Amino acid sequence: QVQLVESGGGLVQPGGSLRLSCAASGIIFSIYEMGWYRQAPGKQREYVAGIGKGGSTNYVDSVKGRFTISRDNTKNTVFLEMNSLKPEGTAVYYCNAKKYGADYWGKGTLVTVSS
């Protein structure tokens, strides 16, 4: 049974930082491309960042220079370090694991950026 469990969300002030984690089980983690997506209230889910099997990374323009995605294949975990958070970053953040023929999602963790 595949599980992706996100953690680390919460309430943070504008300009603050949070570190999200996503622990995977039931998959061979190292062969999956991992990603973070978010869905703000009333909006569609959007791509935030991704990291390939070899560690290559990609970001949506709006978070470049502020967010960092990383992975620890020994712990089957992917991280999203978020700095200089803005109110528009308020959303449910979802973890995604993808390879040819497989696409898995976590249930999300809520991030609220507000003073």
Side-chain angles (χ1 to χ4, degrees):
Q1 180 181 359
V2 178
Q3 281 193 313
L4 300 177
V5 181
E6 301 96 336
S7 61
L11 174 64
V12 62
Q13 292 187 341
S17 299
L18 280 177
R19 189 191 197 206
L20 305 183
S21 300
C22 170
S25 60
I27 60 173
I28 303 173
F29 181 79
S30 61
I31 68 173
Y32 279 76
E33 296 185 355
M34 300 300 297
W36 286 96
Y37 291 71
R38 64 188 178 188
Q39 187 166 15
K43 295 189 176 181
Q44 290 188 329
R45 190 175 298 187
E46 67 168 352
Y47 173 85
V48 176
I51 184 165
K53 295 175 290 184
S56 61
T57 59
N58 190 48
Y59 301 91
V60 67
D61 284 347
S62 61
V63 308
K64 284 180 180 177
R66 299 187 298 117
F67 289 14
T68 302
I69 188 171
S70 61
R71 65 190 298 162
D72 185 341
N73 288 345
T74 67
K75 297 181 179 179
N76 289 359
T77 301
V78 62
F79 304 97
L80 186 67
E81 185 77 33
M82 306 186 294
N83 298 313
S84 302
L85 281 161
K86 302 177 181 180
E88 52 265 40
T90 295
V92 177
Y93 285 71
Y94 296 91
C95 177
N96 174 255
K98 188 177 303 182
K99 72 175 184 71
Y100 181 78
D103 192 358
Y104 301 108
W105 293 88
K107 294 183 178 180
T109 185
L110 176 64
V111 173
T112 303
V113 186
S114 175
S115 54

